Amino acid sequence: MAMYDYVTFRYRMPNGANGATFATKDLQCTMDQYEVTNQGRLVRVTTTDQDERPVEDLNYSGWLDIISASGHFRLEFMSGSLRAIQVMDEDKWAQFDPIHCIPS
């Protein structure tokens, strides 16, 4: 059975899709839940092991591939902040802009 982590990202994606919950294998694959905040920060919001993986801002840098029925996207983080979003099927990049966040 494949294990994933889940990322909530409420954002209007560059291809027009509305983001919500995505699966990823780019983190620890422990079924933890993460959120990309309106400020573009990746935060662990729930975990199966609070002692080893506390709920916190990860200050993440690197690429994070996320997948859902609305598509496959690559998020680029630098120094903890989301900088750009790539639509993988279209090879289209867009800069992260908080104005495209969808209120929860």
Side-chain angles (χ1 to χ4, degrees):
M1 180 170 91
M3 300 267 296
Y4 297 89
D5 290 308
Y6 299 95
V7 179
T8 300
F9 185 32
R10 294 177 188 90
Y11 192 80
R12 185 166 324 282
M13 297 303 214
N15 65 352
N18 287 334
T21 301
F22 298 87
T24 185
K25 286 189 169 187
D26 288 348
L27 298 169
Q28 296 183 349
C29 296
T30 55
M31 299 181 67
D32 288 348
Q33 294 184 4
Y34 299 82
E35 180 176 358
V36 178
T37 68
N38 290 351
Q39 295 78 34
R41 305 291 296 183
L42 183 63
V43 177
R44 184 181 298 114
V45 294
T46 62
T47 179
T48 55
D49 188 343
Q50 180 70 32
D51 293 331
E52 279 193 33
R53 297 181 312 277
V55 173
E56 64 184 351
D57 182 321
L58 299 182
N59 198 34
Y60 189 79
S61 288
W63 287 346
L64 180 67
D65 285 4
I66 57 175
I67 300 171
S68 76
S70 63
H72 178 185
F73 305 93
R74 176 168 287 160
L75 309 181
E76 180 184 23
F77 290 85
M78 293 177 58
S79 302
S81 294
L82 179 58
R83 297 290 183 216
I85 303 164
Q86 180 182 14
V87 180
M88 297 300 286
D89 297 338
E90 301 174 18
D91 197 28
K92 175 193 256 184
W93 282 93
Q95 296 296 312
F96 172 71
D97 185 345
I99 197 161
H100 297 293
C101 289
I102 299 168
S104 52

